[in-house]
Amino acid sequence: MQNRRVLRIAVPLLASFALVASACGSDGDTSSSASDAVDDTETTDATEAPAEAEAASGDICLDGDVVELGFLNSTSGGMAISEQTVRDSLILGAEEINAAGGIFGKQIEFIEEDGQSEPTVFAEKINKLLTEDEVAAVFGGWTSASRKAMLPVVEGAKGLLFYPVQYEGLEASENIYYTGATTNQQIIPAMDFLASEGVETLFLAGSDYVFPRTANKIIKQYAAVLGIEIVGEEYVPLDSDDWTTQVAKIAEAQPDFVFNTINGSSNVGFIKAYDEAGLSADNSPIISVSIAEEEAPAMGVDLTGQYASWNYFQSVDSPENTTFIEAFQAKYGDRPTSDPMEAAYTSLYLYKNMVEKAESFCVDAINEAADGVSFAAPEGLVTINGENNHIAKTSLIGQINADNQFDIVFSSEGPIQPDPFLEGYDWWDPTAG
Amino acid sequence: MTAKESSDQPDAEHRHGAQGAAGARSTSSLAQRLSTYGPLIGIAVLAFLLLVWAPNSLSTFRLGNLGRYCALALASMGIGLAWGRGGMLVLGQGVFFGLGAYAMAMHMKLEVAGPGGVPDFMMLYGDGTMPSWWEPFRSGPFTLFAIVAVPLVVSFLLGYAILKRRVKGSYFAILTQAMAVAFATLLIATIKQTGGFNGLNTFSTFFGHNLYNPEVQTNIYRLAAGLVIVFLVILWQLYRSRYGELLVATRDAEERIRFLGYDPANIKLAAFMMAAVMASIGGAMFVPIVGIVSPSSVDASASILLVAGVALGGRASLFGPALGAIAVGYGRSTLSESFPTQWTYFLGGLFIVVVLILPGGVASLWPMLRSRLSSVQRKPSSIDVDDGLEADEPAVLA
Amino acid sequence: MGSNSGLRPWFSIDVFVGDGRARARSSPTGCPLLDDDVKAETVDVFTTPFLTGTANGAILLMAALGLTLTFGQMGVINMAHGEFLMVGAYVAYLTQQVTGATGFSIVVALPMAFIFAGLLGLLLEITVIQWMYERPLDTLLATVGVALVLQQLAQDVFGAQGDPVVAPSWLGGRISVFGYEWPHRQLFTIVLALGALGALSAVLKYTGFGRRIRATVQNRQLAETLGVSTRNVDRITFFLGSGLAGLGGVAVALISGTNPTLGTAYIIPAFLVVVVGGVGQLKGTLIAAWVVGVVTAFLTDWISGSMAQVLTFALVVIFLVMRPQGLFTSRTRSMA
């Protein structure tokens, strides 16, 4: 009996697999205009006209009244913690834009995909979104690994990706718009702040992956210029939460400040170990780049007085921010707003502005029109820099108060132009260790 | 046992996949030949589907996905050999998958860097100097050699150390899983040499061919699918051979094999090494198809995913691991599109259901059905897996 | 914009100018007893990792005890054991939601975690495991599936973001040991683990069902003929083992709060501890957990955290190659 029951399930399953596999042959030719040059200029094939195929002038690369966008975030796996809010704010932005008439008169329809916190899945899903679903643009990504995995795909498919997360810079692509901060908009201003506070010794604590390592490389070089001494540098793997040993080293070194580039749940372990060792904002303050309004209350420790370097805080005082917070909380309840999800929200509006300036959904036209496109974002005015596809953002340093909100204690005088390769900084030597 | 019986037995024992029971029902030479060579027909059908039908019917995107499943299927077929036939549950094939994948990725990175150049990430994260052990991978032939040789050596060392000491069963399984975790951690920790958490990505050519050319992509797919077919044939022959018998015998009755004068450690070691090589080749094909290799393709959960396909398809059968791997990969892509969280439940449920109800996987359905329908007692076969009617040997050392 | 709110004054510290660099050392007792930098540093080099390692080993012990029980007695490998740790952590969080982050919350959370994790283990045993005794490979695979399901459940119920567990004030202090400020939490973890071990040994030695457990382990069939209901004994064992993991989960929650993937970090080290100590050997598990914890802590101190994990694994493999049966074995698989 059991066998038959299982058979009844298994056979249809296999049969349906065979059916689907055979049905999947709609657009199936593999020929293309060949160009064997090392340059990656191939588009993938399709028999229907893709939304972003170049055509005669007057073609806006879109048929119909609907523009399809892809939202690619991890809603499962370890990164879902952070990426779910990005997804939520993207949906909010899309609904707002639709209510206001859409992009260039076209209503947005979004396709949601789950990156499963794995770079290979991100690559696969963005490939699907760009080549099968033929969306006009994709919004998402989180870890640098996911972005690096998506980069060749989006360049090969000549699509558009809007990446909303602060990251380590040293990258620029024609097909990616980076709406998160690069290092000269977040790390370097933080160092300037520390210098202005008279900090002389600094301890670096980070998770063991590319963003903290690169950030610390920059910090060390800049610290030498500022006259700040680095008294320690410790890394703990992303999936390890135990910082007790390293915090003991911090307690022993007693730096003026700790620069925290830890990410994920490891941050919780760090803060708790910090607290256990008797360190706090009074005797050993921390400035971090990944503790925001959502993470702060989840630490289980009073973080009042600690610092963070971002480009947006919920406490930013502007009418745009007030509207944004109201809309977000009206839709999702009493949840805090924070930098990456605001950057994602901003990226959607920037795309809208780019399209409307270019009067086209074609990727080439958008790229030509992108430079100088701006948007009055909740964080302040942001402007796209067409040279590197990043945006000029204002840097903010906030101090946590008793409500787990940030009091802004330092800000750059206006938006900082993005410099992902740190070309404008002559102390930067990329080849040094 | 008369000479005739003993020569009949091997033929009757090597039924595979959906070919059904030949057994004692018919002694006609046609049925015998069918049961012996039937799998080849199945392989031919699969070859047609994969190499002829698929490239002409599927879109480039779906074809790329299928290519990825084929790369994973190679690794899973190795697990089928080691576990299904050899009784060694290997939960850490991610290590060998990663060895092959990183070897191929290093070569492709050096291709991008050009002659004398250094991969970009070394300049980004390090100080621009390349470790000397990268240098040999500039050469294509060496890379191919390394893809086969390095896992051979590593699996020999590991297997020799572990199997000779008669560590078996569950200890072995746990050790292999710990191995995968350790290797993934090692990769993450060595960001300047291996790209760390980001892994190796951003390739442009595959042995001189432009990766973004759809023709090239199709050919790479054909290579992966072709390797699956080739290894299916190799495994078919292996399972029919004397070594195949020995392996199954070692799986089922290790001590008796020892008393017969063989060293079961050597027998299992050979299977382990072959499984390692197959996983490595799978990894090597994975890289040009997917475009990235990172520690998340190496760690415990990636290794377990490889095993899932084998368990689903039928671990001791010929086609089971390959088809199961393709099914699991496909399920992951499509189910996760519509039901992202449900996919995890499905995967977990898959393990539970397969172990509880269907230890032999889908491949064991057909023989089970036939044996229930037919009145003739079915001879035990090598594709039978222990369904718990007799107790396993305890995992504690003798 | 940009008003400087002014920093709070720095904590004033005694500064010893040692080798030309300003190196500060706080003097916990108020008297500069450890004026000698070299001596203090030597002590620190050993004390901190040793104590941290012991505390981590204590958590490993609590995780491994349950595993060695079920593995040794029933030949069952439970890869979902890490999820029982997670359950214990979430119970601690939920207890705090109910009682508030008071001093009592942890005291209440401990038995609750034990019971809940134990019940979950019992459920697992009844539904899945009981058909697979003495089939360790099968239980391994099946429980891998169970672990996936439980992790996803936790994520769906509690959200992917972890939840905080606030340490009560009596756990927040430090005591000074050889100049190292030892957090109370670590001391508490060690006491908890030893207490659990002691209670388990006492149960096994002195109580009725402890005797029945030992009988079942030594000779299941003979025990059955004597009227011992081995089915019930197995269930009790599973309950006990899982409950112990729940206790460990509370300790883990005090380190870093809860999150759905908490169990995955501990399951492999726990198994390695079981195997190194010898399956079914309680004192072997104790020693193995301690050694693994301390060795990892020392390695973390000397080299980075990631390489420490790799090296620990390599050392365990080398040890197992030299002595595959673990530290302790016995001819009959005894629980003493």
Side-chain angles (χ1 to χ4, degrees), chain A residues 294-323:
Chain A
E294 271 134 2
E295 288 84 10
M299 296 288 172
V301 162
D302 184 15
L303 283 175
T304 308
Q306 301 289 15
Y307 296 84
S309 172
W310 287 104
N311 305 85
Y312 166 83
F313 290 111
Q314 186 173 346
S315 54
V316 162
D317 188 15
S318 75
E320 289 87 10
N321 194 22
T322 314
T323 326

PDB file of all heavy atoms in Angstrom, chain A residues 294-323:
ATOM      1  N   GLU A 294      17.493  49.116  13.073  1.00  0.00           N
ATOM      2  CA  GLU A 294      16.892  47.800  13.312  1.00  0.00           C
ATOM      3  C   GLU A 294      17.747  46.944  14.218  1.00  0.00           C
ATOM      4  O   GLU A 294      17.233  46.168  15.021  1.00  0.00           O
ATOM      5  CB  GLU A 294      16.724  47.052  11.995  1.00  0.00           C
ATOM      6  CG  GLU A 294      15.443  47.297  11.304  1.00  0.00           C
ATOM      7  CD  GLU A 294      15.677  47.568   9.845  1.00  0.00           C
ATOM      8  OE1 GLU A 294      16.844  47.508   9.423  1.00  0.00           O
ATOM      9  OE2 GLU A 294      14.694  47.851   9.164  1.00  0.00           O
ATOM     10  N   GLU A 295      19.051  47.051  14.041  1.00  0.00           N
ATOM     11  CA  GLU A 295      19.923  46.167  14.802  1.00  0.00           C
ATOM     12  C   GLU A 295      20.051  46.608  16.251  1.00  0.00           C
ATOM     13  O   GLU A 295      20.225  45.780  17.140  1.00  0.00           O
ATOM     14  CB  GLU A 295      21.327  46.128  14.180  1.00  0.00           C
ATOM     15  CG  GLU A 295      21.424  45.378  12.872  1.00  0.00           C
ATOM     16  CD  GLU A 295      21.043  46.245  11.699  1.00  0.00           C
ATOM     17  OE1 GLU A 295      20.887  47.468  11.904  1.00  0.00           O
ATOM     18  OE2 GLU A 295      20.895  45.713  10.590  1.00  0.00           O
ATOM     19  N   ALA A 296      20.005  47.916  16.475  1.00  0.00           N
ATOM     20  CA  ALA A 296      20.315  48.415  17.817  1.00  0.00           C
ATOM     21  C   ALA A 296      19.439  47.805  18.902  1.00  0.00           C
ATOM     22  O   ALA A 296      19.941  47.357  19.932  1.00  0.00           O
ATOM     23  CB  ALA A 296      20.219  49.945  17.816  1.00  0.00           C
ATOM     24  N   PRO A 297      18.115  47.762  18.711  1.00  0.00           N
ATOM     25  CA  PRO A 297      17.318  47.180  19.800  1.00  0.00           C
ATOM     26  C   PRO A 297      17.493  45.682  19.947  1.00  0.00           C
ATOM     27  O   PRO A 297      17.155  45.121  20.985  1.00  0.00           O
ATOM     28  CB  PRO A 297      15.870  47.515  19.401  1.00  0.00           C
ATOM     29  CG  PRO A 297      15.912  47.921  17.994  1.00  0.00           C
ATOM     30  CD  PRO A 297      17.283  48.339  17.649  1.00  0.00           C
ATOM     31  N   ALA A 298      18.026  45.021  18.923  1.00  0.00           N
ATOM     32  CA  ALA A 298      18.125  43.559  18.989  1.00  0.00           C
ATOM     33  C   ALA A 298      19.373  43.090  19.703  1.00  0.00           C
ATOM     34  O   ALA A 298      19.634  41.900  19.761  1.00  0.00           O
ATOM     35  CB  ALA A 298      18.093  42.981  17.575  1.00  0.00           C
ATOM     36  N   MET A 299      20.151  44.037  20.239  1.00  0.00           N
ATOM     37  CA  MET A 299      21.408  43.628  20.862  1.00  0.00           C
ATOM     38  C   MET A 299      21.191  43.087  22.258  1.00  0.00           C
ATOM     39  O   MET A 299      22.012  42.329  22.766  1.00  0.00           O
ATOM     40  CB  MET A 299      22.360  44.829  20.917  1.00  0.00           C
ATOM     41  CG  MET A 299      22.771  45.332  19.566  1.00  0.00           C
ATOM     42  SD  MET A 299      23.904  44.195  18.806  1.00  0.00           S
ATOM     43  CE  MET A 299      24.034  44.879  17.193  1.00  0.00           C
ATOM     44  N   GLY A 300      20.145  43.520  22.900  1.00  0.00           N
ATOM     45  CA  GLY A 300      19.966  43.105  24.277  1.00  0.00           C
ATOM     46  C   GLY A 300      20.846  43.866  25.245  1.00  0.00           C
ATOM     47  O   GLY A 300      20.953  43.507  26.416  1.00  0.00           O
ATOM     48  N   VAL A 301      21.497  44.889  24.766  1.00  0.00           N
ATOM     49  CA  VAL A 301      22.409  45.662  25.612  1.00  0.00           C
ATOM     50  C   VAL A 301      22.117  47.125  25.335  1.00  0.00           C
ATOM     51  O   VAL A 301      21.788  47.494  24.214  1.00  0.00           O
ATOM     52  CB  VAL A 301      23.877  45.335  25.243  1.00  0.00           C
ATOM     53  CG1 VAL A 301      24.831  46.376  25.757  1.00  0.00           C
ATOM     54  CG2 VAL A 301      24.244  43.962  25.752  1.00  0.00           C
ATOM     55  N   ASP A 302      22.249  47.940  26.331  1.00  0.00           N
ATOM     56  CA  ASP A 302      22.003  49.352  26.125  1.00  0.00           C
ATOM     57  C   ASP A 302      23.152  49.969  25.353  1.00  0.00           C
ATOM     58  O   ASP A 302      24.289  49.979  25.831  1.00  0.00           O
ATOM     59  CB  ASP A 302      21.845  50.040  27.483  1.00  0.00           C
ATOM     60  CG  ASP A 302      21.481  51.508  27.313  1.00  0.00           C
ATOM     61  OD1 ASP A 302      21.084  51.901  26.205  1.00  0.00           O
ATOM     62  OD2 ASP A 302      21.597  52.258  28.296  1.00  0.00           O
ATOM     63  N   LEU A 303      22.851  50.474  24.183  1.00  0.00           N
ATOM     64  CA  LEU A 303      23.914  50.985  23.334  1.00  0.00           C
ATOM     65  C   LEU A 303      24.012  52.509  23.366  1.00  0.00           C
ATOM     66  O   LEU A 303      24.690  53.088  22.534  1.00  0.00           O
ATOM     67  CB  LEU A 303      23.664  50.561  21.877  1.00  0.00           C
ATOM     68  CG  LEU A 303      23.994  49.109  21.549  1.00  0.00           C
ATOM     69  CD1 LEU A 303      23.594  48.797  20.128  1.00  0.00           C
ATOM     70  CD2 LEU A 303      25.462  48.855  21.717  1.00  0.00           C
ATOM     71  N   THR A 304      23.324  53.125  24.285  1.00  0.00           N
ATOM     72  CA  THR A 304      23.285  54.583  24.298  1.00  0.00           C
ATOM     73  C   THR A 304      24.693  55.161  24.321  1.00  0.00           C
ATOM     74  O   THR A 304      25.526  54.775  25.135  1.00  0.00           O
ATOM     75  CB  THR A 304      22.531  55.067  25.549  1.00  0.00           C
ATOM     76  OG1 THR A 304      21.279  54.386  25.581  1.00  0.00           O
ATOM     77  CG2 THR A 304      22.301  56.553  25.494  1.00  0.00           C
ATOM     78  N   GLY A 305      24.927  56.093  23.411  1.00  0.00           N
ATOM     79  CA  GLY A 305      26.219  56.748  23.383  1.00  0.00           C
ATOM     80  C   GLY A 305      27.161  56.193  22.341  1.00  0.00           C
ATOM     81  O   GLY A 305      28.180  56.811  22.057  1.00  0.00           O
ATOM     82  N   GLN A 306      26.835  55.067  21.739  1.00  0.00           N
ATOM     83  CA  GLN A 306      27.721  54.543  20.707  1.00  0.00           C
ATOM     84  C   GLN A 306      27.403  55.220  19.383  1.00  0.00           C
ATOM     85  O   GLN A 306      26.336  55.761  19.190  1.00  0.00           O
ATOM     86  CB  GLN A 306      27.557  53.027  20.591  1.00  0.00           C
ATOM     87  CG  GLN A 306      27.841  52.262  21.862  1.00  0.00           C
ATOM     88  CD  GLN A 306      29.317  52.239  22.225  1.00  0.00           C
ATOM     89  OE1 GLN A 306      30.108  53.016  21.695  1.00  0.00           O
ATOM     90  NE2 GLN A 306      29.681  51.352  23.131  1.00  0.00           N
ATOM     91  N   TYR A 307      28.346  55.136  18.478  1.00  0.00           N
ATOM     92  CA  TYR A 307      28.246  55.884  17.234  1.00  0.00           C
ATOM     93  C   TYR A 307      28.075  54.980  16.034  1.00  0.00           C
ATOM     94  O   TYR A 307      28.425  53.799  16.065  1.00  0.00           O
ATOM     95  CB  TYR A 307      29.526  56.716  17.019  1.00  0.00           C
ATOM     96  CG  TYR A 307      29.729  57.781  18.059  1.00  0.00           C
ATOM     97  CD1 TYR A 307      30.339  57.474  19.271  1.00  0.00           C
ATOM     98  CD2 TYR A 307      29.312  59.087  17.838  1.00  0.00           C
ATOM     99  CE1 TYR A 307      30.521  58.442  20.233  1.00  0.00           C
ATOM    100  CE2 TYR A 307      29.498  60.057  18.796  1.00  0.00           C
ATOM    101  CZ  TYR A 307      30.092  59.730  19.997  1.00  0.00           C
ATOM    102  OH  TYR A 307      30.270  60.689  20.943  1.00  0.00           O
ATOM    103  N   ALA A 308      27.533  55.548  14.983  1.00  0.00           N
ATOM    104  CA  ALA A 308      27.452  54.832  13.713  1.00  0.00           C
ATOM    105  C   ALA A 308      27.644  55.822  12.582  1.00  0.00           C
ATOM    106  O   ALA A 308      27.263  56.985  12.697  1.00  0.00           O
ATOM    107  CB  ALA A 308      26.111  54.122  13.558  1.00  0.00           C
ATOM    108  N   SER A 309      28.218  55.342  11.497  1.00  0.00           N
ATOM    109  CA  SER A 309      28.451  56.175  10.324  1.00  0.00           C
ATOM    110  C   SER A 309      27.579  55.674   9.187  1.00  0.00           C
ATOM    111  O   SER A 309      27.743  54.564   8.718  1.00  0.00           O
ATOM    112  CB  SER A 309      29.925  56.117   9.920  1.00  0.00           C
ATOM    113  OG  SER A 309      30.121  56.780   8.684  1.00  0.00           O
ATOM    114  N   TRP A 310      26.651  56.518   8.787  1.00  0.00           N
ATOM    115  CA  TRP A 310      25.752  56.142   7.704  1.00  0.00           C
ATOM    116  C   TRP A 310      25.534  57.361   6.825  1.00  0.00           C
ATOM    117  O   TRP A 310      26.148  58.408   7.032  1.00  0.00           O
ATOM    118  CB  TRP A 310      24.388  55.684   8.246  1.00  0.00           C
ATOM    119  CG  TRP A 310      24.343  54.349   8.900  1.00  0.00           C
ATOM    120  CD1 TRP A 310      24.275  54.107  10.239  1.00  0.00           C
ATOM    121  CD2 TRP A 310      24.311  53.080   8.277  1.00  0.00           C
ATOM    122  NE1 TRP A 310      24.214  52.772  10.489  1.00  0.00           N
ATOM    123  CE2 TRP A 310      24.235  52.110   9.303  1.00  0.00           C
ATOM    124  CE3 TRP A 310      24.336  52.646   6.955  1.00  0.00           C
ATOM    125  CZ2 TRP A 310      24.189  50.738   9.049  1.00  0.00           C
ATOM    126  CZ3 TRP A 310      24.288  51.275   6.699  1.00  0.00           C
ATOM    127  CH2 TRP A 310      24.215  50.347   7.744  1.00  0.00           C
ATOM    128  N   ASN A 311      24.622  57.222   5.894  1.00  0.00           N
ATOM    129  CA  ASN A 311      24.212  58.372   5.093  1.00  0.00           C
ATOM    130  C   ASN A 311      22.749  58.700   5.287  1.00  0.00           C
ATOM    131  O   ASN A 311      22.229  59.616   4.674  1.00  0.00           O
ATOM    132  CB  ASN A 311      24.502  58.105   3.613  1.00  0.00           C
ATOM    133  CG  ASN A 311      25.942  57.746   3.394  1.00  0.00           C
ATOM    134  OD1 ASN A 311      26.322  56.588   3.530  1.00  0.00           O
ATOM    135  ND2 ASN A 311      26.763  58.728   3.096  1.00  0.00           N
ATOM    136  N   TYR A 312      22.108  57.919   6.118  1.00  0.00           N
ATOM    137  CA  TYR A 312      20.704  58.190   6.405  1.00  0.00           C
ATOM    138  C   TYR A 312      20.409  57.696   7.809  1.00  0.00           C
ATOM    139  O   TYR A 312      20.847  56.626   8.209  1.00  0.00           O
ATOM    140  CB  TYR A 312      19.792  57.478   5.405  1.00  0.00           C
ATOM    141  CG  TYR A 312      18.331  57.452   5.846  1.00  0.00           C
ATOM    142  CD1 TYR A 312      17.505  58.551   5.611  1.00  0.00           C
ATOM    143  CD2 TYR A 312      17.802  56.355   6.525  1.00  0.00           C
ATOM    144  CE1 TYR A 312      16.191  58.544   6.033  1.00  0.00           C
ATOM    145  CE2 TYR A 312      16.487  56.350   6.946  1.00  0.00           C
ATOM    146  CZ  TYR A 312      15.696  57.444   6.698  1.00  0.00           C
ATOM    147  OH  TYR A 312      14.389  57.440   7.124  1.00  0.00           O
ATOM    148  N   PHE A 313      19.676  58.498   8.551  1.00  0.00           N
ATOM    149  CA  PHE A 313      19.126  58.032   9.819  1.00  0.00           C
ATOM    150  C   PHE A 313      17.643  58.350   9.829  1.00  0.00           C
ATOM    151  O   PHE A 313      17.192  59.312   9.189  1.00  0.00           O
ATOM    152  CB  PHE A 313      19.804  58.717  11.006  1.00  0.00           C
ATOM    153  CG  PHE A 313      21.224  58.288  11.224  1.00  0.00           C
ATOM    154  CD1 PHE A 313      22.263  59.177  10.998  1.00  0.00           C
ATOM    155  CD2 PHE A 313      21.526  57.016  11.662  1.00  0.00           C
ATOM    156  CE1 PHE A 313      23.576  58.790  11.207  1.00  0.00           C
ATOM    157  CE2 PHE A 313      22.837  56.627  11.870  1.00  0.00           C
ATOM    158  CZ  PHE A 313      23.863  57.522  11.634  1.00  0.00           C
ATOM    159  N   GLN A 314      16.941  57.582  10.594  1.00  0.00           N
ATOM    160  CA  GLN A 314      15.514  57.853  10.709  1.00  0.00           C
ATOM    161  C   GLN A 314      15.287  59.247  11.309  1.00  0.00           C
ATOM    162  O   GLN A 314      14.257  59.860  11.084  1.00  0.00           O
ATOM    163  CB  GLN A 314      14.847  56.781  11.576  1.00  0.00           C
ATOM    164  CG  GLN A 314      13.340  56.905  11.639  1.00  0.00           C
ATOM    165  CD  GLN A 314      12.696  55.737  12.375  1.00  0.00           C
ATOM    166  OE1 GLN A 314      13.330  54.731  12.609  1.00  0.00           O
ATOM    167  NE2 GLN A 314      11.431  55.890  12.717  1.00  0.00           N
ATOM    168  N   SER A 315      16.281  59.728  12.024  1.00  0.00           N
ATOM    169  CA  SER A 315      16.112  61.015  12.693  1.00  0.00           C
ATOM    170  C   SER A 315      16.471  62.202  11.816  1.00  0.00           C
ATOM    171  O   SER A 315      16.484  63.334  12.283  1.00  0.00           O
ATOM    172  CB  SER A 315      16.960  61.035  13.962  1.00  0.00           C
ATOM    173  OG  SER A 315      18.298  60.716  13.633  1.00  0.00           O
ATOM    174  N   VAL A 316      16.791  61.931  10.556  1.00  0.00           N
ATOM    175  CA  VAL A 316      17.066  63.055   9.647  1.00  0.00           C
ATOM    176  C   VAL A 316      15.829  63.949   9.587  1.00  0.00           C
ATOM    177  O   VAL A 316      14.704  63.482   9.423  1.00  0.00           O
ATOM    178  CB  VAL A 316      17.416  62.532   8.234  1.00  0.00           C
ATOM    179  CG1 VAL A 316      17.270  63.620   7.198  1.00  0.00           C
ATOM    180  CG2 VAL A 316      18.806  61.943   8.217  1.00  0.00           C
ATOM    181  N   ASP A 317      16.071  65.240   9.721  1.00  0.00           N
ATOM    182  CA  ASP A 317      14.958  66.166   9.867  1.00  0.00           C
ATOM    183  C   ASP A 317      14.681  66.836   8.540  1.00  0.00           C
ATOM    184  O   ASP A 317      15.305  67.847   8.199  1.00  0.00           O
ATOM    185  CB  ASP A 317      15.319  67.202  10.948  1.00  0.00           C
ATOM    186  CG  ASP A 317      14.130  68.073  11.282  1.00  0.00           C
ATOM    187  OD1 ASP A 317      12.998  67.707  10.912  1.00  0.00           O
ATOM    188  OD2 ASP A 317      14.343  69.124  11.927  1.00  0.00           O
ATOM    189  N   SER A 318      13.789  66.245   7.782  1.00  0.00           N
ATOM    190  CA  SER A 318      13.446  66.872   6.512  1.00  0.00           C
ATOM    191  C   SER A 318      12.025  66.454   6.163  1.00  0.00           C
ATOM    192  O   SER A 318      11.545  65.405   6.599  1.00  0.00           O
ATOM    193  CB  SER A 318      14.411  66.422   5.409  1.00  0.00           C
ATOM    194  OG  SER A 318      14.112  65.104   5.012  1.00  0.00           O
ATOM    195  N   PRO A 319      11.338  67.280   5.365  1.00  0.00           N
ATOM    196  CA  PRO A 319       9.964  66.906   5.017  1.00  0.00           C
ATOM    197  C   PRO A 319       9.897  65.614   4.216  1.00  0.00           C
ATOM    198  O   PRO A 319       8.977  64.814   4.380  1.00  0.00           O
ATOM    199  CB  PRO A 319       9.461  68.103   4.191  1.00  0.00           C
ATOM    200  CG  PRO A 319      10.642  68.951   3.924  1.00  0.00           C
ATOM    201  CD  PRO A 319      11.708  68.607   4.879  1.00  0.00           C
ATOM    202  N   GLU A 320      10.930  65.392   3.361  1.00  0.00           N
ATOM    203  CA  GLU A 320      10.902  64.149   2.592  1.00  0.00           C
ATOM    204  C   GLU A 320      10.986  62.946   3.511  1.00  0.00           C
ATOM    205  O   GLU A 320      10.317  61.925   3.298  1.00  0.00           O
ATOM    206  CB  GLU A 320      12.089  64.112   1.615  1.00  0.00           C
ATOM    207  CG  GLU A 320      11.990  65.075   0.454  1.00  0.00           C
ATOM    208  CD  GLU A 320      12.541  66.432   0.815  1.00  0.00           C
ATOM    209  OE1 GLU A 320      13.162  66.546   1.896  1.00  0.00           O
ATOM    210  OE2 GLU A 320      12.345  67.379   0.043  1.00  0.00           O
ATOM    211  N   ASN A 321      11.812  63.056   4.537  1.00  0.00           N
ATOM    212  CA  ASN A 321      11.961  61.928   5.435  1.00  0.00           C
ATOM    213  C   ASN A 321      10.687  61.697   6.245  1.00  0.00           C
ATOM    214  O   ASN A 321      10.279  60.567   6.485  1.00  0.00           O
ATOM    215  CB  ASN A 321      13.149  62.156   6.379  1.00  0.00           C
ATOM    216  CG  ASN A 321      13.538  60.864   7.081  1.00  0.00           C
ATOM    217  OD1 ASN A 321      13.242  59.783   6.612  1.00  0.00           O
ATOM    218  ND2 ASN A 321      14.190  60.988   8.226  1.00  0.00           N
ATOM    219  N   THR A 322      10.081  62.783   6.663  1.00  0.00           N
ATOM    220  CA  THR A 322       8.853  62.618   7.429  1.00  0.00           C
ATOM    221  C   THR A 322       7.802  61.889   6.608  1.00  0.00           C
ATOM    222  O   THR A 322       7.144  60.960   7.096  1.00  0.00           O
ATOM    223  CB  THR A 322       8.312  63.998   7.847  1.00  0.00           C
ATOM    224  OG1 THR A 322       9.395  64.781   8.355  1.00  0.00           O
ATOM    225  CG2 THR A 322       7.242  63.860   8.894  1.00  0.00           C
ATOM    226  N   THR A 323       7.667  62.309   5.353  1.00  0.00           N
ATOM    227  CA  THR A 323       6.690  61.633   4.495  1.00  0.00           C
ATOM    228  C   THR A 323       7.035  60.171   4.329  1.00  0.00           C
ATOM    229  O   THR A 323       6.168  59.287   4.381  1.00  0.00           O
ATOM    230  CB  THR A 323       6.671  62.289   3.100  1.00  0.00           C
ATOM    231  OG1 THR A 323       6.915  63.669   3.230  1.00  0.00           O
ATOM    232  CG2 THR A 323       5.357  62.027   2.404  1.00  0.00           C
TER     233      THR A 323
END
